[in-house]
């Protein structure tokens, strides 16, 4: 897993943090995946439970905080930052309904409530306010764990052509949300198709539409500074694949 970040807080909504900047240099670390799977080919049944470990990063962070730059010890600094990306548990399931129809289900859990990004200078400045002592404030954190559910159907219309559709739900990780990620989950609907051009070559295309959940944006001191409503997004993709028989 590779992480990096550039953060620039700008605008009066950020109060004393207006103008704060941090650059977190790229860092690559490794985790592990473990799981169990079961299959019953005669009814196209497959089930898998997979665990992905949390991954710990230590990267260099260069920070500047103009509002306190004149105070000794609070000038621009560079140093290590520890970031731990969360673990996750994933359940994938499919089964045949009849010889040409397949049902699928996916469930994912991520404990984002354990995640936080805490740059040294940003945290130290927040501790100047007795309200936030002794731990200070984090730059990014979440209140709740995230759940995702997706249900789908696939239908083979001929030996060469198959179509699929799915619907999904994402709980988000709490509301109010960080101003750096202003949505509270989403609902989604998708359609796709796969065409076998030859026995070996196939082309697939699909799209998914997402209705993002309305959310209030809050800065780390818990002040609500923004309101996000009626946002949406979409994803499209095309794949050319080859399979040796």
């Amino acid at each position: 897993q590779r992480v990096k970040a550039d953060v620039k807080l700008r605008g009066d909504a950020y109060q004393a943090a207006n103008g704060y900047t941090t650059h977190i240099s790229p860092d690559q670390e490794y985790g592990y995946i473990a799981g169990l799977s079961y299959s019953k080919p005669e009814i196209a049944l497959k089930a898998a439970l997979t665990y992905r470990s949390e991954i710990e990063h230590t990267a260099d962070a260069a920070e500047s905080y103009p509002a306190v730059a004149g105070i000794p010890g609070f000038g621009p600094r560079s140093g290590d930052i520890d970031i731990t990306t969360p673990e996750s548990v994933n359940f994938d399931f499919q089964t045949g309904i009849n010889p040409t129809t397949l049902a699928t289900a996916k469930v994912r859990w991520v404990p984002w409530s354990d995640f936080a990004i805490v740059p040294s200078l940003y945290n130290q400045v927040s501790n100047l306010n007795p309200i936030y002592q002794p731990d200070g404030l984090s730059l990014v954190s979440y209140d709740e764990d995230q759940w995702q559910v997706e249900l789908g159907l696939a239908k083979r219309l001929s030996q060469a052509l198959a179509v699929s559709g799915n619907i999904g739900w994402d709980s988000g990780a709490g509301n109010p949300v960080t101003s750096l990620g202003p949505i509270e989950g989403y609902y989604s609907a998708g359609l796709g198709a796969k065409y076998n051009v030859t026995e070996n070559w196939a082309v697939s295309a699909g799209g998914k539409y997402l209705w993002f959940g309305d959310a209030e944006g809050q800065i780390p001191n818990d002040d609500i500074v923004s309101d996000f409503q009626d946002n949406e997004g979409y994803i499209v993709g095309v794949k050319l694949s080859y399979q040796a028989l």
Side-chain angles (χ1 to χ4, degrees):
Q1 183 182 69
R2 186 174 184 268
V3 300
K4 68 173 185 176
D6 284 287
V7 178
K8 299 177 181 179
L9 304 185
R10 299 294 185 268
D12 293 339
Y14 287 105
Q15 302 170 21
N18 182 12
Y20 171 82
T21 298
T22 183
H23 169 72
I24 299 176
S25 300
D27 181 71
Q28 181 170 300
E29 296 293 345
Y30 298 89
Y32 65 88
I33 299 174
L36 299 170
S37 64
Y38 172 80
S39 66
K40 192 173 183 180
E42 55 268 31
I43 59 171
L45 187 150
K46 294 181 182 179
L49 183 65
T50 308
Y51 172 81
R52 290 173 169 82
S53 71
E54 63 180 25
I55 299 178
E56 298 179 356
H57 295 268
T58 299
D60 180 71
E63 299 177 82
S64 64
Y65 206 129
V68 295
I71 302 176
F74 290 87
R77 71 173 59 166
S78 180
D80 286 346
I81 182 172
D82 295 323
I83 300 173
T84 301
T85 57
E87 62 191 350
S88 68
V89 178
N90 304 265
F91 177 70
D92 295 271
F93 177 84
Q94 72 169 48
T95 186
I97 296 176
N98 58 48
T100 62
T101 306
L102 188 71
T104 62
K106 297 180 180 180
V107 180
R108 175 176 170 86
W109 171 76
V110 186
W112 282 108
S113 58
D114 297 333
F115 174 82
I117 298 177
V118 190
S120 169
L121 178 59
Y122 187 91
N123 181 258
Q124 185 180 356
V125 172
S126 70
N127 262 306
L128 294 174
N129 188 332
I131 297 175
Y132 307 123
Q133 295 176 358
D135 297 327
L137 297 174
S138 56
L139 181 62
V140 176
S141 63
Y142 299 96
D143 295 329
E144 299 178 7
D145 297 344
Q146 178 191 36
W147 287 89
Q148 291 176 308
V149 179
E150 185 175 285
L151 304 175
L153 281 175
K155 176 74 174 179
R156 189 174 74 241
L157 302 180
S158 68
Q159 289 299 320
L161 179 63
V163 296
S164 63
N166 60 69
I167 56 174
W169 168 76
D170 184 306
S171 70
N175 187 29
V177 299
T178 167
S179 62
L180 304 180
I183 64 170
E184 186 195 13
Y186 60 80
Y187 290 94
S188 68
L191 293 172
K194 179 179 180 181
Y195 183 75
N196 296 315
V197 181
T198 68
E199 289 186 351
N200 304 104
W201 290 95
V203 61
S204 304
K208 180 177 288 187
Y209 199 83
L210 301 100
W211 293 267
F212 296 128
D214 296 345
E216 293 179 316
Q218 83 178 359
I219 56 178
N221 67 3
D222 294 337
D223 284 355
I224 303 298
V225 296
S226 55
D227 186 31
F228 299 89
Q229 298 183 12
D230 302 326
N231 291 303
E232 53 198 26
Y234 61 89
I235 304 166
V236 294
V238 176
K239 179 174 71 174
L240 180 65
S241 57
Y242 175 84
Q243 181 178 358
L245 301 177

